Amino acid sequence: MEAYKKLVVIVALVLLALAIESEALVVNNEQSFCRMTKEGLNACAPAVSGQNPLPPSALCCSALKTADFQCLCLFKKYSNLLSAYGIDPNLAMQLPAKCNLGQPIRC
């Protein structure tokens, strides 16, 4: 069931990207979302969801190193949609700081 929820979140984010005219990029024959792979998004899920989020994993932090934060900022406008899928937009914006990649995302 948990894997199904993650898949629904990924599909929703891709559809949302298309709806706001963002393009999914293809890097090394692998589709990505805001320059984060599906594996990277899945790795970050425990750090941005639930009432007791976990610290971001090394894989999540590694994925964030290549993320397009301006692209991700577009989705903060749709925080209600993200919240409906169990993603806390405020936690998501804090990930770069938690991964020692700089300040939280400011959109």
Side-chain angles (χ1 to χ4, degrees):
M1 183 66 167
E2 187 67 29
Y4 175 76
K5 284 184 177 181
K6 288 180 183 178
L7 180 60
V8 169
V9 169
I10 291 169
V11 170
L13 290 174
V14 170
L15 290 175
L16 186 58
L18 293 173
I20 61 173
E21 299 182 45
S22 292
E23 291 184 9
L25 302 173
V26 177
V27 179
N28 297 327
N29 293 324
E30 188 170 330
Q31 191 167 359
S32 67
F33 174 77
C34 294
R35 294 190 339 212
M36 288 186 68
T37 65
K38 180 173 68 171
E39 291 78 17
L41 290 168
N42 285 337
C44 290
V48 297
S49 59
Q51 300 226 348
N52 297 312
L54 300 173
S57 66
L59 182 58
C60 171
C61 292
S62 178
L64 282 172
K65 288 179 184 176
T66 61
D68 179 348
F69 295 125
Q70 293 305 314
C71 174
L72 293 171
C73 280
L74 294 174
F75 293 92
K76 188 170 183 188
K77 292 174 23 180
Y78 299 96
S79 61
N80 289 340
L81 176 65
L82 296 177
S83 296
Y85 288 100
I87 298 171
D88 182 329
N90 294 319
L91 290 174
M93 297 295 128
Q94 295 171 17
L95 282 179
K98 290 181 178 181
C99 289
N100 296 318
L101 298 175
Q103 297 295 317
I105 301 172
R106 299 213 194 303
C107 301

